[in-house]
Amino acid sequence: MGTPIVIAKKTEDTTQDIVLHSQLANRHGLIAGATGTGKTVTLKVLAESFSRIGVPVFLADAKGDVSSLAKAGESNLKLDERMKNLNIQSIPFEASPVMFWDLFGKQGHPIRTTVSEIGPLLLAQMLNLNDTQESVLSAVFRIADDQGLLLIDIKDLKAMLSYVSEHAADFKAEYGNLSPASLGAIQRNLLALADQGGDQFFGEPALDLMDFLQTDSQGHGNINLLAADKLMNTPKLYATFLLWMLSELFEQLPEVGDLDKPKLVFFFDEAHLLFDNASPALKEKIEQVVRLIRSKGVGIYFVTQNPLGLPESVLGQLGNRIQHALRAFTPKDQKAVKAAADTFRANPEFKVDQVITELAVGEALISCLDEKGIPQIVERGWIMPPHSSFNPISLDERQALMKQSIMAGIYEQSVDRESAHEILQNKVAERQQQAQKAELAKQQAREQERLAREQHKEAERATKQRAKLINDTVGTFAKTAARSLGGSTGQKIVRGLLGSLFGRK
Ligand SMILES: Nc1ncnc2c1ncn2[C@@H]1O[C@H](COP(=O)(O)OP(=O)(O)OP(=O)(O)O)[C@@H](O)[C@H]1O
Ligand SMILES: [Mg+2]
């Protein structure tokens, strides 16, 4: 038996509730509507409702306004009037247990993962690679695997890419053509990603996704809030990161039967970013993850201005739908309105496409699955007021909550263990050392040779000098002797003198 979550009051008759059944919350959902129509407030109402029944939530805070979940609401004139209209006596204002996360480590506990966990497909998406470059990147991952080189951070991948570039010819037979142009493009885009903050995101300690599945001491599900304001400037990084989380959750969570309530609910704000320029392979993967993840007890709620930004195959899987107002100024708008209206099970009481354009702020067209899992007839309703505040928390309040958090200190300090970068650096250092040794040996050999040559020359010079000396001495002496002895005797004396002269040496 699940719990009915009251999300709205029927506009026609505010004594009647519109509910979302917790046991069907893993059949995914959609929150759509033009800007300023109440999507974020609806997201908050859903998130805190899930939290209250003990379901942990993950959501991205695109504008910083969802942080208000961490602060209890307060009454004000506007709200009091709305409550009166909705037949609500009072609201138990309270804060939800919020855990702050931030890829950049500033507005929340840092989130990191390793390059190898992201894998070549998602990384290719992050790096904006074409098909050829993507297959080269896959080969680089395979080479790293085969050589036992760990790819943890961007430094590792950079080192790996240079290593593969240097040895592309050796790898060709086994891994195919690793063209310098493709490797160069990957290296360049990697630098850009590092500049966008990727260098902080890739590293260790890597996030343990099970940390997102916690409840607090009261049994309320933690709301894991990702600061995404800065991240939104780099849509690729944002979309790929969330996708990575989904696929990891899918891989790590066990298959579960029908549950009373989901294990985790995941809100995907600005959901169209997921699909903008996504490769067909990636789109297929997203559709597949969305389809299969519900059997792991995870519900995904897409939040977007225009539902047509989502592929039909995904849209068709979203069982619980909340459609806020859409504008119908241009023919393109009108087409979007018509398409959004057509996704609902019609209500004979009103024309859906007309009502979509007339909805007030905080009002929506809603169709959730009934207890049998069948889409209910679309109803027009006022979204319930949130129990949390309408005002975002201050930086000081955020810091205080982060300090108190049970996650404080676990992920703050990054560690850099030995991986591809260090190993390849060592290899290079080793090679350099060997080259230095060889160079030294060569120099020594040259020096010895030079010395030998000099000694030889010296000896020659000495010989010549001696010879000259002898010559001079013998010359004078012999001449005198020969002169005095005359004839052949003179010759003998010369030989004898020469012998004794050399013998003195
Ligand atoms: N259910 C509600 N109850 C009371 N007030 C609401 C409700 N929904 C919206 N509002 C009011 O409308 C304002 C705008 O709503 P919200 O921020 O949810 O719009 P949005 O659709 O998320 O806009 P954007 O696309 O710009 O993010 C809120 O700040 C609040 O004052
Ligand atoms: Mg919003």
Side-chain angles (χ1 to χ4, degrees), residues 441-455:
K442 242 195 246 168
Q443 271 178 8
Q444 279 172 345
R446 270 203 298 268
E447 183 63 15
Q448 268 174 354
E449 215 173 280
R450 193 182 62 78
L451 277 173
R453 257 200 318 270
E454 260 178 23
Q455 272 175 357

Side-chain angles (χ1 to χ4, degrees), residues 34-41 63 78 82 305 361-362 383 390:
T35 177
T37 53
K39 294 185 299 297
T40 298
V41 175
K63 292 181 184 160
K78 217 169 116 191
R82 190 177 166 97
Q305 292 198 9
V361 171
I383 302 291
F390 280 99

Side-chain angles (χ1 to χ4, degrees), residues 387-422:
H387 295 194
S388 57
S389 172
F390 280 99
N391 305 314
I393 57 165
S394 69
L395 201 63
D396 286 348
E397 287 169 318
R398 184 188 287 259
Q399 298 290 350
L401 286 167
M402 278 166 63
K403 271 201 195 123
Q404 286 170 19
S405 139
I406 52 161
M407 288 298 142
I410 296 182
Y411 293 106
E412 267 64 14
Q413 205 57 46
S414 72
V415 285
D416 193 3
R417 67 173 157 137
E418 185 171 76
S419 47
H421 167 73
E422 288 79 11

Side-chain angles (χ1 to χ4, degrees), residues 11 35-36 126 170 191 219 337 419 436 504:
T11 302
T35 177
M126 263 187 200
D170 305 334
L191 283 183
V337 167
S419 47
Q436 270 171 359
R504 243 195 291 139

Side-chain angles (χ1 to χ4, degrees), residues 479-505:
K479 271 180 210 156
T480 326
R483 251 196 313 271
S484 58
L485 295 171
S488 62
T489 326
Q491 297 285 320
K492 269 183 215 157
I493 290 170
V494 171
R495 254 199 314 274
L497 273 172
L498 277 176
S500 66
L501 268 176
F502 276 113
R504 243 195 291 139
K505 192 176 136 188

Side-chain angles (χ1 to χ4, degrees), residues 30 32-33 304-312 315 321 323 326 336 339-341 343:
L30 174 74
T304 181
Q305 292 198 9
N306 182 358
L308 295 184
L310 307 181
E312 247 183 73
L315 215 49
R321 290 159 183 242
Q323 174 70 59
L326 287 176
T343 63

